[in-house]
Amino acid sequence: MFRWWRRSITSQIDHERVVQRIWEESGWTGRYAFMTMMSAGIAVLGLLLSSPAVVIGAMLISPLMGPILGLGFSLALFDFAEMRRSLTALAIGAGAALAFTALIVLVSPLKAPTAEILARTRPNLFDLLVALFAALAGTYAIIRGRGDTIVGVAIATALMPPLAVVGYGLATMNVPVLSGALALFVTNFLTIALSATILARFYGFGHALSERQSWTQTIVLSAVFVAMAVPLGIALGHIARETLVASQVRSFLSQRFGDNARITQLDIDFDANPIVVRSIIIAPRAAAKNTNALEGELAGQIKQPVKLRLDQVLLDSGAGSLEAQRAELRQASGAVAAEQREASTAAQLVAVAAGVKVEDVVVDRDHRRVTATAQALAGADPQALRILESRIASAVPGWQIAIVPPLGQLPEIAFADNVDTLDREARDAVLLSAWEARRWNIPALGVPGLPDGERPESPTLNQRRALAIAEVLREQGVNPVPAPDAGQRYRLAPTQP
């Protein structure tokens, strides 16, 4: 077996030429820096505009595959110097991409999360498999002398868009988006690097090809390999647990409704707390179940809290398979049509309120969220937009409505002479300021006269006014920070915490 492997596999590879080509593409160069930043800029603009074509363009020119494959081959060759060189290039490139994308988001008037952004915030088993297959294809193409395939691999693994979403999350201080996109990028990165290492070893790339080799380097590189495998193993464990829960839920519902029942749809939202299980079940009328009772049983079965949302399509005992299929089609079509009607109604209402076209409204059906950036129109001040947003949310219950007002000055907050409490008009101005800050993804507002640190024992009038404003801001989820003192009229200012 070993002889066959040496004769049929490794002897046909020009190892030195392949290694030289890998090293040429894995280091830090001016071209690499320029292409990384341009790719990051194109990616984040495509994400903000929710344009898949622009995002694909960013994937095409992304040079991040070079250092990652260099890391994989350096692990296979036990070459400490090249490993350090590849990691340095990857770290600097990723840092530059993050800084560039965060800067673009900070100066951009568009900050609302789009469908393209949300699609890259939750890695799953398919993302892992895509990265695995793409890494094997790219490594094979380079080893066999067909490196042009690397362009297709760059599209498949999509390394740059998740990194751009991390920059977006960093700029908007959106921790769930940042952590989800970072998890996707790290999953792809580790999968590609370790897959490249394994395939390189299979084709005979070993420590004999390295110029300098010592036992210390071998031990260190082995430790690096293990350290890289640990987070990937954790990600695999997380994915495996979700797959197990999905299997347990399906098995539970099948057992409770019997062999004559049919589960036509099963969706599980693992991000919710508790997790939400949605399902459509076609069953005989006699097999009808109480959803609340099933919810308690299911929570005990999977050993975690759960919210069960069942649509039970009940058939008479004499109903045949044809009628069951028709009922299934009616139920599925009805559910889809109802959701489409709700989404269309919400999008049209938001478009009218924001003064934009319906196609400019972002509809995220998975999270039931509708977002649009309002145009600057006469009479459509932020207060009016806030009221319209609230009315639309009441008209389409179950959907999150977000109308982003045009960037501008926040409203003034006026106090009466020698008064340190907020009257109705002043409180409304603070609430409006907090609403605008949340819609702009601004985490903090500067409050004039706010004490820096603990509350003074004997605060001045202006400090008491600032503290009253700060209390309302905290209630609205906005962080108040000190700003230069003002007189009787206050105007909050967007700032960083």
Side-chain angles (χ1 to χ4, degrees):
M1 186 68 180
F2 179 74
R3 291 181 180 178
W4 172 86
W5 174 71
R6 290 288 300 273
R7 182 178 66 254
S8 303
I9 303 297
T10 63
S11 62
Q12 299 181 11
I13 305 299
D14 187 349
H15 294 84
E16 293 184 359
R17 182 186 61 81
V18 173
V19 169
Q20 181 180 1
R21 181 173 183 179
I22 291 290
W23 295 163
E24 289 176 353
E25 298 292 333
S26 63
W28 173 265
T29 62
R31 174 186 175 276
Y32 171 82
F34 179 78
M35 295 300 290
T36 298
M37 296 186 68
M38 293 304 99
S39 174
I42 294 172
V44 75
L45 291 175
L47 293 167
L48 291 173
L49 294 170
S50 194
S51 172
V54 178
V55 175
I56 291 174
M59 299 180 200
L60 281 170
I61 66 173
S62 172
L64 291 178
M65 283 292 288
I68 295 178
L69 289 179
L71 175 60
F73 272 78
S74 66
L75 287 171
L77 272 60
F78 291 96
D79 192 321
F80 187 79
E82 291 299 335
M83 182 204 69
R84 184 172 54 199
R85 180 168 168 266
S86 298
L87 280 175
T88 300
L90 180 64
I92 297 177
L98 287 178
F100 194 50
T101 53
L103 178 62
I104 291 176
V105 172
L106 286 174
V107 301
S108 170
L110 301 177
K111 290 185 174 66
T114 64
E116 287 291 320
I117 291 174
L118 296 175
R120 291 168 173 85
T121 58
R122 182 172 172 77
N124 54 45
L125 181 60
F126 294 104
D127 294 315
L128 185 67
L129 292 177
V130 166
L132 173 63
F133 297 153
L136 294 176
T139 307
Y140 176 84
I142 288 181
I143 292 174
R144 303 296 295 182
R146 290 169 174 78
D148 292 341
T149 309
I150 204 68
V151 173
V153 175
I155 296 176
T157 53
L159 290 166
M160 184 54 74
L163 193 60
V165 175
V166 175
Y168 167 87
L170 187 65
T172 58
M173 302 299 291
N174 192 325
V175 177
V177 168
L178 187 152
S179 58
L182 182 61
L184 177 58
F185 175 77
V186 171
T187 298
N188 283 352
F189 155 62
L190 293 178
T191 303
I192 295 168
L194 296 180
S195 301
T197 300
I198 294 171
L199 196 60
R201 294 293 293 184
F202 175 77
Y203 275 100
F205 291 84
H207 66 275
L209 297 172
S210 179
E211 294 181 0
R212 296 182 302 275
Q213 178 66 21
S214 67
W215 278 108
T216 301
Q217 289 183 350
T218 301
I219 294 172
V220 170
L221 288 170
S222 299
V224 170
F225 188 94
V226 173
M228 289 176 58
V230 168
L232 185 58
I234 294 174
L236 278 171
H238 183 71
I239 293 170
R241 284 192 296 272
E242 290 187 357
T243 304
L244 177 61
V245 170
S247 176
Q248 289 176 329
V249 170
R250 182 174 290 276
S251 176
F252 171 83
L253 294 176
S254 297
Q255 291 175 1
R256 292 299 181 273
F257 283 91
D259 296 335
N260 295 326
R262 184 174 179 181
I263 302 173
T264 62
Q265 179 179 327
L266 180 62
D267 296 321
I268 304 178
D269 185 359
F270 289 99
D271 289 331
N273 186 22
I275 64 172
V276 177
V277 176
R278 301 180 182 89
S279 182
I280 298 176
I281 298 178
I282 300 176
R285 192 171 299 278
K289 302 293 182 182
N290 182 282
T291 301
N292 292 333
L294 288 179
E295 184 176 277
E297 290 185 49
L298 180 58
Q301 183 85 8
I302 63 176
K303 295 180 174 58
Q304 60 178 304
V306 62
K307 180 67 176 178
L308 186 60
R309 297 178 179 174
L310 288 183
D311 288 332
Q312 301 182 42
V313 182
L314 303 178
L315 304 177
D316 294 330
S317 58
S321 60
L322 180 59
E323 185 174 343
Q325 292 177 4
R326 288 174 176 171
E328 176 185 349
L329 289 174
R330 286 196 302 270
Q331 180 72 8
S333 300
V336 171
E339 184 178 8
Q340 289 178 342
R341 285 195 300 271
E342 290 178 356
S344 177
T345 299
Q348 291 175 3
L349 292 173
V350 169
V352 172
V356 298
K357 298 179 181 178
V358 175
E359 51 266 29
D360 294 329
V361 177
V362 177
V363 179
D364 179 11
R365 287 192 174 88
D366 290 337
H367 298 84
R368 298 178 69 82
R369 180 180 175 88
V370 180
T371 307
T373 300
Q375 296 292 322
L377 301 174
D381 59 13
Q383 179 65 10
L385 293 176
R386 178 180 169 224
I387 294 173
L388 288 172
E389 181 188 273
S390 177
R391 291 178 179 175
I392 296 172
S394 300
V396 283
W399 287 80
Q400 300 178 48
I401 307 300
I403 300 177
V404 183
L407 290 173
Q409 280 190 326
L410 295 175
E412 286 190 348
I413 305 166
F415 287 87
D417 292 340
N418 298 319
V419 173
D420 59 5
T421 57
L422 294 166
D423 59 19
R424 181 177 178 179
E425 184 177 349
R427 182 177 176 83
D428 285 343
V430 178
L431 293 175
L432 179 59
S433 299
W435 175 80
E436 290 188 77
R438 293 198 306 272
R439 291 296 171 266
W440 294 335
N441 284 317
I442 294 174
L445 289 177
V447 181
L450 182 67
D452 189 2
E454 297 182 359
R455 181 188 179 99
E457 293 184 3
S458 301
T460 64
L461 174 63
N462 281 355
Q463 288 177 331
R464 295 197 301 273
R465 291 171 172 175
L467 289 168
I469 294 172
E471 182 179 356
V472 177
L473 290 179
R474 292 192 186 95
E475 292 174 356
Q476 299 300 312
V478 178
N479 184 30
V481 297
D485 201 347
Q488 189 166 303
R489 304 183 72 86
Y490 288 70
R491 189 188 299 275
L492 305 183
T495 183
Q496 293 297 323

